[in-house]
Each structure stands twice: as structure tokens, then as C-alpha cells.
Amino acid sequence: MAKNYYDELGVSKGATEQEIKRAYRKLAKQYHPDVNKDPGAQDRFKSIQEAFDVLSDPEKKANYDRYGSPDGPSFGQGFGGGGETYGEGSSQFEDLFRQFGGGSRTTSRTFGFEDMFGSFFDQAVEEDLDETVRVNIPLSQLTKESKVSLRLQTGTVNVKIPQGAYEGQKLRLKGKGSRVGQSGNRGDVYVDLHFADDDTYRREGEHIVTVKRLRPLEFLDGASVIIATLDGGRVKLKVKPGSRPGQRMRIPGRGVMTGSKVRSDLFVQLEVDLPLDETYRSVYEQIER
């Protein structure tokens, strides 16, 4: 059964070009995979995009309205077996010649098998205009809103990294691709996000570890410390007296966002802060005795 592109966009067959554009923008915003994470949203978005590609193109729309296909009449339609007949003197036969570049049947140009089927299969080739760019984001940048600058063939763009970004998330840059289709429109660029360890945070499985250094007396007497979390917040921790270097404190749900939309845990590893300064030599020598 042929798709009903008008139903896909929720417009009537007599809808104007502006009405079709408004309906597409509203639905595309609602079902775009970067916004809508429902299981069927991506397939729905593809159907919306396909419908708009046809109904926004005057030639494809005319073919669809007349023949039920944006590519024009199918070759099994009308050549025997009932239905409309594409034969001598029929207006459909004239349309078929015009559709595939043959002009009128009375033209002096020879219209043969190669013309008809060559043109048909050229139209059937699906254009792949989209590109993917991998970007490595230091984990520390996830503690606040940040941007990365990308130098594309079409120019330099600043991409905002959203709070709650997760490993493998793809951000769409519409019309920023270097490939241009037959319609003159550029493809999209998808920014593939990946996280990288840095001096402050490192990954252990799906969880995150950060190091907090304390002075020796803070281990003995206890202390309060402030930790920046990867969701952009800050957490106050109380270190108990008698804690030991290497001990870890767990902050649940304040690590990095996972693909399942659940934040991992952040572990704070306590280490001793020993100043390497000559003024402390006498103290270290006394400890060594």
C-alpha cells in the first residue's frame, strides 16, 4: 500500500506550501531523535522527513498526486492486466514520455529502452549526504555548560555540549555538510560525542573517579571538602577522623550520564598532600627516625 504523505504531516491534499512547511517543522521538532527519546520516535521522524521531501518538491508532489508515487508511473501500471492503459493516443502515454525525457510521442527524437529505464534507475538512487565527526570531550567540561569549536569544510561552528550529554550521543548540525544533493541542499553533520579522561576525572567502567588531596592533620582530625560533580553541582563531604590515604567516598548518581539515561556514581579518592618543599625537610627527617 502506498504511503499517504499528507496523513504523515497531518495536512489536507489541498494544503499550501507554507502549511506543509509549518506542519513539517512542528512535527520534526517534536520527533527529532535529539529531543524525543521514545523507541518509535526515530522511525516517525524518518517518515515525516520522507513525506516533506516529496510534498515540498513540486515535481515529486505532482507525480505523487497523479500516480501515487513521487517517481511517476510504475511500469507495471497500465500495461495489461486491467486498470488504465498507456497506449496509442492516451494522455497517460504522453505523460510517460515527458516524465522520462522523451517529450511528446510525436517528437522526432527516438525514445528507447535505455532512455526510459536509465532515467528511472537514476531517480531510484538514494543520496547519502550526511557526515559524522567524532569529538572527544574532556570529562571536566561536563561540570558546566561548554562549547567546542569545529572546523568543517563549510566553515567553523561552535557546538554547545548539553548538560546530561552521554557517551556516543549524536548532535545534528542541519545543513552543515560538505556534500550537496541534486536539489541543491546540503547534507547534515552529526557530532559523535565521546568522553576523555583528564587531570581531574577518570573513568573506571561506567563510574567516575576524582582525587581529593588532604593534609596529614585533616586525615587525623577529619575535614569538610567540596567536590564538583559532573552534573554541574557541588557536594560537601565530611571526611571522618582517622581516614586513610587511598580510601574512597561514593557520591551516588553524580557521575556521567549513561546511554540508558541514568547517571553513574562519582567516587572521591582521598590522597595525602605532602608539600615537597625544603622547609619541611626537618619534619620529614624527624618522622623517618
Side-chain angles (χ1 to χ4, degrees):
M1 179 181 295
K3 294 183 179 180
N4 190 323
Y5 292 131
Y6 292 101
D7 285 351
E8 291 286 356
L9 297 183
V11 298
S12 66
K13 191 173 181 179
T16 65
E17 181 180 349
Q18 290 302 318
E19 289 172 336
I20 290 173
K21 285 183 179 179
R22 282 197 297 268
Y24 165 73
R25 288 170 182 166
K26 179 180 178 181
L27 292 171
K29 184 177 181 180
Q30 178 181 353
Y31 289 99
H32 193 282
D34 287 347
V35 177
N36 193 324
K37 303 303 179 183
D38 292 341
Q42 187 169 5
D43 289 339
R44 180 76 176 100
F45 179 77
K46 289 180 179 178
S47 298
I48 293 166
Q49 185 66 54
E50 179 183 350
F52 180 71
D53 288 344
V54 171
L55 299 183
S56 62
D57 184 300
E59 183 178 351
K60 291 181 179 180
K61 183 176 183 296
N63 285 335
Y64 176 71
D65 289 343
R66 180 166 187 138
Y67 306 111
S69 169
D71 295 324
S74 63
F75 293 106
Q77 176 185 359
F79 289 102
E84 294 181 293
T85 301
Y86 293 93
E88 183 72 17
S90 70
S91 61
Q92 292 92 341
F93 189 72
E94 300 275 354
D95 291 334
L96 183 61
F97 271 68
R98 295 191 185 95
Q99 171 66 25
F100 296 104
S104 169
R105 64 183 178 87
T106 59
T107 183
S108 60
R109 180 184 183 276
T110 302
F111 181 69
F113 179 91
E114 183 178 355
D115 296 310
M116 180 180 292
F117 285 91
S119 179
F120 174 78
F121 287 115
D122 284 344
Q123 293 181 32
V125 175
E126 182 179 354
E127 293 181 300
D128 183 10
L129 306 177
D130 295 339
E131 305 165 53
T132 300
V133 176
R134 179 187 174 109
V135 174
N136 293 322
I137 308 296
L139 286 168
S140 294
Q141 289 194 21
L142 301 179
T143 62
K144 58 186 181 302
E145 286 192 357
S146 60
K147 295 181 179 180
V148 294
S149 182
L150 295 181
R151 183 172 296 175
L152 307 174
Q153 293 187 27
T154 53
T156 300
V157 295
N158 292 319
V159 181
K160 181 180 177 181
I161 307 303
Q163 282 286 339
Y166 56 89
E167 177 80 14
Q169 182 176 354
K170 288 183 171 59
L171 306 179
R172 181 189 182 205
L173 304 180
K174 183 174 176 59
K176 295 297 183 180
S178 61
R179 303 168 188 163
V180 181
Q182 294 180 359
S183 63
N185 295 326
R186 290 186 177 273
D188 301 334
V189 172
Y190 287 87
V191 181
D192 189 9
L193 298 182
H194 293 272
F195 303 143
D197 296 353
D198 55 27
D199 293 338
T200 306
Y201 301 95
R202 71 175 188 272
R203 291 170 296 179
E204 285 190 2
E206 64 178 11
H207 300 299
I208 305 297
V209 177
T210 188
V211 172
K212 181 63 179 179
R213 297 191 177 276
L214 304 176
R215 297 188 301 275
L217 286 179
E218 290 178 312
F219 278 101
L220 294 175
D221 298 337
S224 294
V225 296
I226 302 296
I227 303 297
T229 60
L230 271 74
D231 59 357
R234 295 167 70 84
V235 173
K236 184 176 182 180
L237 295 179
K238 288 187 176 181
V239 180
K240 294 180 179 179
S243 297
R244 293 288 183 264
Q247 182 177 333
R248 289 186 175 184
M249 304 178 71
R250 174 173 170 259
I251 307 178
R254 304 302 288 271
V256 72
M257 188 71 76
T258 65
S260 58
K261 305 302 177 60
V262 176
R263 282 195 176 272
S264 63
D265 297 337
L266 175 62
F267 288 88
V268 180
Q269 183 169 317
L270 304 178
E271 297 292 352
V272 66
D273 182 14
L274 290 176
L276 298 178
D277 192 290
E278 193 66 28
T279 57
Y280 290 88
R281 175 180 288 276
S282 60
V283 176
Y284 296 149
E285 287 176 346
Q286 187 174 357
I287 293 175
E288 288 290 328
R289 295 189 185 127

